[in-house]
Amino acid sequence: MADIGRNDPCTCGSGKKYKKCCETKDVAKKHTEMEKSWNKSVKEFEKQKKDDEATNPAAPVVPGKHPPHMMGNLKSQKHNPSVAPKFNMPRKAGGGGS
C-alpha cells in the first residue's frame, strides 16, 4: 500500500480528505503501537540490568560516570581548542564603483 498524503481522498471511501477523516485515528493507532514497543523495550532493559547486577555485583553503576569498557573510547577522542573554525567569508554584493 502506497503512502497516502493528507490531501488525498480517504481510503475508507467517505469522499472526504484523509486529513479530515481518518488521519487522527491512524495517528492515534500508530502512537499506541509505538508506546507498547517503548514499554516492552523498557521492561527488557530493566530485566537485563537486573541480570547484569546479579551476575556482576562488584561493578556498581554510578550515574554520570561511564562504564570502564567505554573509557578507552572516550580517552582516545581529544578536542583541540586551539584550532580556529574554517569558513568562507561571503563576497560583498552590490555595485561598488566610484
Side-chain angles (χ1 to χ4, degrees), residues 38-55:
W38 175 265
N39 291 334
K40 181 181 175 186
S41 298
V42 168
K43 287 179 183 178
E44 289 175 1
F45 174 76
E46 289 173 353
K47 183 178 183 273
Q48 182 66 36
K49 186 176 173 183
K50 286 180 183 179
D51 291 345
D52 289 346
E53 288 174 355
T55 58

Side-chain angles (χ1 to χ4, degrees), residues 5-6 10 17-29:
R6 294 184 72 225
C10 190
K17 288 185 178 183
Y18 176 69
K19 66 182 176 184
K20 296 283 186 175
C21 188
C22 292
E23 182 183 28
T24 54
K25 291 181 244 175
D26 291 346
V27 169
K29 182 179 177 183

Side-chain angles (χ1 to χ4, degrees), residues 4 25 36 39-40 50-51 55 72-73 77-78 87 92 94 96:
I4 185 168
K25 291 181 244 175
K36 286 179 184 177
N39 291 334
K40 181 181 175 186
K50 286 180 183 179
D51 291 345
T55 58
N73 294 339
Q77 298 173 356
K78 293 190 177 185
F87 59 92
K92 291 183 179 179

Side-chain angles (χ1 to χ4, degrees), residues 9-16 21:
C10 190
T11 57
C12 71
S14 66
K16 296 180 182 179
C21 188

